[in-house]
């Protein structure tokens, strides 16, 4: 008789799910993180689930939040901010709240240009995303 396979595969859509999944049973928990573009982020060693699972999940959440999302080479339309200090907004219009302020010369990648005078951008250095009026950004390179 063969031993039962105790492997469980699960897509975790929230880091709060991570702590609940690990609390289900103690033992070795292997994590494989992935990104929106389908690339996988390797984990160096398996984590052992303990009573400190919430602390582990919080540490993973902090590390993932700090890492800027990679910009695929095929989408690299890099431009610069032309205004001295300008708002990057949560949506395409002045009615949307600012998410950050950017200085002139800051490099941004154009993610989307719907043709309405607004561009969806990602700050190259930080990975922060938001919207800005197209006239505040240099023309395509």
């Amino acid at each position: 008789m063969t031993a039962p396979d105790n492997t469980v595969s699960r897509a975790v859509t929230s880091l709060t799910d991570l702590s609940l999944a690990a609390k289900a049973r103690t033992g070795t928990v292997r994590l494989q993180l992935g990104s929106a573009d389908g690339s996988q982020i390797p984990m160096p060693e398996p984590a052992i689930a303990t009573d400190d699972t919430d602390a582990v999940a919080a540490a993973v959440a902090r590390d993932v939040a700090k890492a800027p999302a990679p910009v695929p080479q095929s989408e690299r339309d890099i431009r610069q901010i032309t205004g001295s200090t300008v708002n990057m907004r949560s949506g395409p219009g002045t009615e949307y709240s600012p998410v950050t302020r950017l200085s002139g010369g800051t490099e941004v990648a154009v993610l989307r240009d719907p043709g309405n005078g607004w561009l969806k951008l990602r700050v190259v250095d930080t990975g922060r995303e938001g919207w800005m009026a197209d006239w505040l950004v240099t023309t395509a390179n």
Side-chain angles (χ1 to χ4, degrees):
M1 177 174 212
T2 60
D5 182 6
N6 291 329
T7 303
V8 176
S9 296
R10 180 172 178 214
V12 177
T13 57
S14 164
L15 290 173
T16 56
D17 290 347
L18 177 62
S19 65
L20 293 175
K23 282 184 181 177
R25 75 167 216 255
T26 58
T28 302
V29 177
R30 295 183 188 274
L31 299 175
Q32 178 64 57
L33 299 178
S35 66
D37 67 359
S39 63
Q40 292 185 348
I41 303 166
M43 297 298 290
E45 294 293 325
I48 304 300
T50 66
D51 290 339
D52 296 329
T53 302
D54 286 333
V56 171
V60 169
R62 280 192 305 275
D63 289 346
V64 169
K66 288 179 190 175
V71 178
Q73 286 297 89
S74 62
E75 296 179 12
R76 291 187 69 91
D77 176 2
I78 305 297
R79 304 188 193 181
Q80 290 186 343
I81 303 302
T82 58
S84 59
T85 303
V86 296
N87 288 326
M88 177 181 268
R89 298 182 174 275
S90 61
T94 56
E95 67 273 13
Y96 292 91
S97 61
V99 293
T100 192
R101 294 177 60 86
L102 300 176
S103 303
T106 301
E107 289 190 332
V108 292
V110 177
L111 302 177
R112 193 167 13 152
D113 182 357
N116 62 357
W118 289 85
L119 300 172
K120 183 164 187 185
L121 307 171
R122 178 183 290 134
V123 180
V124 172
D125 289 341
T126 65
R128 189 79 183 256
E129 293 183 10
W131 292 82
M132 190 174 293
D134 61 3
W135 60 273
L136 295 169
V137 179
T138 58
T139 57
N141 50 357

